[in-house]
Amino acid sequence: MPQPPETVPQPHRPGGSADRPVHRLVPSPAGRIHLVEQGSGPLVLLVHGFPESWYSWRHQLPALAAAGFRAVAVDVRGYGRSSRPDAVEAYRMLDLVADNVAVVEALGERSAVIVGHDWGANIASHSALLRPDVFRAVGLLSVPYTPPGGPRPSEVFAGMSDPAGPFAGQEFYVSYFQEPGRAEAEIEPDVRGWLGGLYAALSADTMPGPEEPDPHFVAPGGRMRDRFPAAGRLPSWLTEHDLDVYAGEFERTGLTGALNRYRNMDRDWADLAAHAGAPVTQPSLFLGGGMDASTTWLSDAIEAYPVTLPGLSASHILDGCGHWLQQERPEETNRLLTEWLAGLPS
C-alpha cells in the first residue's frame, strides 16, 4: 500500500524560482511522487538510478534553471518521499513509465525532455519508447540504450558465472539483488557504510584497480561489500554531508523498494515483448564515463546507436570518469546537457 504523505513544502505557482529548489508531492499511479523543481521554461525531467535519489541531480537543478529550463528531479517510486508499494511486481518498467507521465501531467505540461542516469537511463529510454507523445527527447547518462528483446535477463546474468569464463564461480550483482531479502540482509545493518562503499567502488578515483577483484561480482558465500574499498575512503565528489543525505533517506525507507527494480527484469522482458528491437527515434543524448563498466561492457550497444538511437545528436565519453557521472563531473555534465537542450526543436 502507498505510504502516508509526509510534510513537504508546497509551491504556490508552477515551477520553482531560478535561485532555489522547491519540493512538491504530486499524484501518480504509485500513490504519490516526490519531486524537486527549479526554474521555469521547457520541462526537463531528471530520473535517478540505484542507490540514489533526487539529490543526485543537485548540481544540475540550478544549472538547468539558469539556462532557462524548468528542471524537475523526482524520487522514483520506492525511494525517498515517493510512495513505496509493497508488491514486488509494482516496480515493473510499465509502472515507472506511467509515473513519469503522471508527473508531467501533474505539473500542467503536455511534454517534456527526460534525462536519466543508471536505472534512470533505462527508465528514461523506455518512457521515450512507450510514450513518444509525451517525451520529445531523451538523455541517457552512464547506461546505453538497449532495445527490448533478446534472451531472458535472468538467464543472461546467471550465465555470467560460466565455469569457462573469467568470473567462474562468482555471482553477478544483479542476480544477487534479485532474491528478495538477500541484499537487504547485507545492507541494512550498516546502510551508511554500504552506500559509501558502493559509491567508492564505482568512482574513478577510488575504484579497485584492474588486478583487484571486481566489485560487480560476489564470491561464493561472500558479500558485495567484501570487494568495496577500505572503509571511510570516500570519492572526491562525495562529502560526508552528501553521504548523510543518502544514508538518511535509505535508513528511513529501507532498500527493498529500490531493489525491487532488479526483481522485475524478467517481467519487463515479457511486458515489452511486442517492442523487441524497437529504436527510440526522438532526439537523444548519451554521456558515459570512460572508466565505467556500464559503458565499457555495453560498448556494442553504443556502436549500435545508428540503428537503435537514430535521433542521436550528441554522444560523449568522459575520460577518467566513473559511474556517478553527473556528480563526479558536474560542470562538464551541465555544459553538455545545456548545450544539447538548447539545440533541441522547441
Side-chain angles (χ1 to χ4, degrees), residues 220-245:
R223 309 168 301 172
M224 279 191 71
R225 69 188 311 153
D226 295 338
R227 296 183 171 181
F228 292 167
R233 185 185 176 200
L234 296 184
S236 58
W237 62 266
L238 184 70
T239 68
E240 295 286 348
H241 171 74
D242 294 334
L243 184 55
D244 285 342
V245 172

Side-chain angles (χ1 to χ4, degrees), residues 2-257:
Q3 304 299 309
E6 301 169 47
T7 302
V8 177
Q10 300 291 309
H12 299 290
R13 63 191 184 286
S17 68
D19 58 354
R20 68 179 186 89
V22 175
H23 292 251
R24 297 182 67 180
L25 297 175
V26 299
S28 82
R32 70 170 186 272
I33 293 293
H34 167 248
L35 59 85
V36 181
E37 63 177 322
Q38 190 166 354
S40 59
L43 177 61
V44 181
L45 191 64
L46 304 169
V47 186
H48 67 80
F50 176 89
E52 301 175 275
S53 75
W54 75 267
Y55 188 74
S56 67
W57 300 105
R58 63 194 177 280
H59 303 297
Q60 284 67 53
L61 288 167
L64 296 183
F69 296 95
R70 185 183 185 185
V72 173
V74 299
D75 278 337
V76 174
R77 73 164 65 187
Y79 289 81
R81 297 182 178 95
S82 293
S83 290
R84 302 184 296 279
D86 292 332
V88 173
E89 60 270 22
Y91 295 84
R92 62 213 306 159
M93 185 62 72
L94 294 179
D95 293 316
L96 302 179
V97 171
D99 285 343
N100 288 336
V101 173
V103 167
V104 174
E105 294 174 349
L107 293 173
E109 304 283 357
R110 298 180 62 183
S111 68
V113 176
I114 187 166
V115 178
H117 169 257
D118 183 76
W119 259 123
N122 276 300
I123 297 168
S125 62
H126 284 82
S127 296
L129 175 67
L130 299 175
R131 293 303 304 268
D133 57 316
V134 176
F135 300 105
R136 62 186 181 91
V138 58
L140 308 178
L141 276 59
S142 296
V143 176
Y145 174 61
T146 54
R152 186 183 295 272
S154 59
E155 296 173 357
V156 173
F157 300 131
M160 295 182 74
S161 58
D162 186 336
F167 303 105
Q170 302 178 58
E171 185 177 14
F172 192 48
Y173 79 98
V174 175
S175 298
Y176 183 72
F177 284 168
Q178 285 181 328
E179 182 181 337
R182 188 177 175 198
E184 288 93 327
E186 172 185 339
I187 301 168
E188 296 201 3
D190 178 19
V191 171
R192 191 180 192 278
W194 193 90
L195 290 173
L198 181 64
Y199 297 147
L202 304 185
S203 296
D205 59 343
T206 48
M207 65 174 55
E211 303 304 318
E212 298 178 81
D214 192 322
H216 294 89
F217 289 83
V218 181
R223 309 168 301 172
M224 279 191 71
R225 69 188 311 153
D226 295 338
R227 296 183 171 181
F228 292 167
R233 185 185 176 200
L234 296 184
S236 58
W237 62 266
L238 184 70
T239 68
E240 295 286 348
H241 171 74
D242 294 334
L243 184 55
D244 285 342
V245 172
Y246 283 124
E249 289 290 78
F250 287 110
E251 286 168 351
R252 180 174 57 80
T253 66
L255 272 292
T256 297

Side-chain angles (χ1 to χ4, degrees), residues 326-346:
Q326 76 270 31
Q327 298 178 86
E328 291 188 53
R329 297 283 187 82
E331 293 183 1
E332 190 171 0
T333 299
N334 292 346
R335 177 179 60 79
L336 294 171
L337 266 179
T338 54
E339 288 177 355
W340 174 69
L341 289 166
L344 292 175
S346 59

Side-chain angles (χ1 to χ4, degrees), residues 281-294:
T281 59
Q282 294 97 312
S284 55
L285 163 77
F286 176 72
L287 303 180
M291 298 178 66
D292 182 7
S294 298

